[in-house]
Structures are given as structure tokens and as C-alpha cells.
């Protein structure tokens, strides 16, 4: 068994939350993508990292954004995960027909998210085929899930990435 196969056996036991990250570039172009690699990464100062694929159109816009919005989706909104995970922002307006509003620092916030935060980009670190965006939270909206669970990796395992190969 190869090292990659052994790692797959480990990660197959995990089912972390999935996130939608939205970015608005300085020129107003907007994009969003489904992200599976993300976590709080510091307690003091509070910091959160989201890893965005270099192949993703959202990555190109996120490099130009000062602030990103990170959304937890409710488990019953697989349709949103599919939209942001299987379509390419370069070819499709993923926000058309959705309820959203402008958030802090010009971010784009999805109204149907379970919770969200806006974070200023503190740093970026190249990790291979993904880049980590380290975010300093500037606004958080998490009023309680009311018993609703966030969408997880296993919930979204049927979604095929929509970015160009």
C-alpha cells in the first residue's frame, strides 16, 4: 500500500465541515468556491486558515481581495455546495438567483448560510496545489444552529470539482 493510499485510509475516517469561501476582487469581480481544507489555526490572535486550490478561479480573485467571507452551509443545502463546488466562477455567475448581501469590507455574504465570518487576509502560504489564506476575523454571524448540522465532507463527496483541469 502506497503512502497516499495509507493517508486516504486515515482521511476517509474524517468528515470535517465544508465551507463556501467568497471573494470580491478590487475591480468588483466576484467568485466563490467550496472548500474542504479549513480550520481555526490560532487562539491568540484568533486566526482561521482556508486552503484554496490554485486551479480554482476563486483562488485568482482571492489573491486580489483584502477580505474573504467563509460560510458554513446547513446540511440540507447540498444544492448550494454543489453550485459552489461543481461550477466554475469564470464561466458562471454562481450568485445569480441567490439571496446575499454585501458584508464587511465589501465581502459577499450568503444569506442562507448556517453561519459566516469575514476575515482580513493576514498572510498566504503555498502548500502545494492549494494556498492557505490566513484570516483575521473582523465580523462573525453565528446565532446558533437551532439543531441544524453543518454540511460535511461526506455529505459533499458526490460533488465533482468544477474548475478547469
Amino acid at each position: 500500500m502506497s503512502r497516499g493510499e495509507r493517508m486516504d485510509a486515515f482521511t476517509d475516517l474524517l468528515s470535517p465541515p465544508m465551507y463556501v469561501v467568497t471573494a470580491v476582487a478590487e475591480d468588483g469581480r466576484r467568485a466563490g468556491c467550496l472548500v474542504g481544507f479549513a480550520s481555526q489555526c490560532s487562539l491568540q490572535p484568533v486566526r482561521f486558515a482556508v486552503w484554496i486550490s490554485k486551479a480554482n478561479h476563486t483562488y485568482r480573485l482571492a489573491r486580489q481581495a483584502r477580505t474573504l467571507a467563509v460560510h458554513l452551509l446547513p446540511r440540507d443545502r447540498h444544492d448550494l455546495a454543489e453550485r459552489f463546488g461543481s461550477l466554475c466562477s469564470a464561466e458562471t455567475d454562481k450568485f445569480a438567483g441567490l439571496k446575499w448581501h454585501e458584508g464587511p469590507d465589501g465581502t459577499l455574504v450568503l444569506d442562507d448560510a448556517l453561519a459566516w465570518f469575514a476575515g482580513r487576509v493576514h498572510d498566504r502560504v503555498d502548500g502545494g496545489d492549494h494556498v492557505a489564506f490566513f484570516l483575521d476575523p473582523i465580523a462573525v454571524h453565528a446565532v446558533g444552529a437551532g439543531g441544524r448540522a453543518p454540511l460535511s465532507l461526506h455529505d459533499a463527496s458526490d460533488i465533482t470539482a468544477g474548475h478547469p483541469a
Side-chain angles (χ1 to χ4, degrees):
M1 184 183 290
S2 73
R3 186 178 342 178
E5 290 169 329
R6 288 192 305 269
M7 193 64 196
D8 285 347
F10 177 87
T11 58
D12 284 349
L13 298 173
L14 306 174
S15 190
M18 297 294 289
Y19 303 87
V20 169
V21 176
T22 58
V24 179
E26 289 180 9
D27 64 5
R29 289 179 299 148
R30 60 191 189 186
C33 64
L34 188 65
V35 172
F37 305 142
S39 178
Q40 183 172 343
C41 58
S42 175
L43 294 173
Q44 199 55 259
V46 173
R47 211 162 263 149
F48 197 91
V50 293
W51 294 80
I52 302 176
S53 170
K54 291 178 185 177
N56 200 306
H57 178 71
T58 301
Y59 165 72
R60 291 186 281 287
L61 269 64
R63 288 185 313 179
Q64 301 172 33
R66 289 184 343 170
T67 304
L68 302 176
V70 179
H71 307 79
L72 275 172
L73 299 179
R75 180 168 277 151
D76 63 354
R77 290 307 308 264
H78 184 277
D79 62 311
L80 285 177
E82 188 167 21
R83 178 186 286 229
F84 284 94
S86 69
L87 301 175
C88 177
S89 292
E91 302 165 356
T92 305
D93 181 359
K94 295 181 186 181
F95 305 99
L98 295 182
K99 294 185 277 181
W100 60 271
H101 65 276
E102 185 174 313
D105 211 14
T107 57
L108 193 148
V109 175
L110 301 173
D111 292 345
D112 290 332
L114 190 62
W116 61 268
F117 79 91
R120 284 214 178 91
V121 177
H122 173 79
D123 201 1
R124 297 170 188 86
V125 174
D126 190 317
D129 61 0
H130 284 67
V131 170
F133 289 76
F134 292 92
L135 306 176
D136 293 326
I138 59 171
V140 179
H141 181 76
V143 295
R148 295 168 69 196
L151 187 105
S152 72
L153 175 63
H154 288 299
D155 297 327
S157 63
D158 63 326
I159 298 172
T160 302
H163 52 70

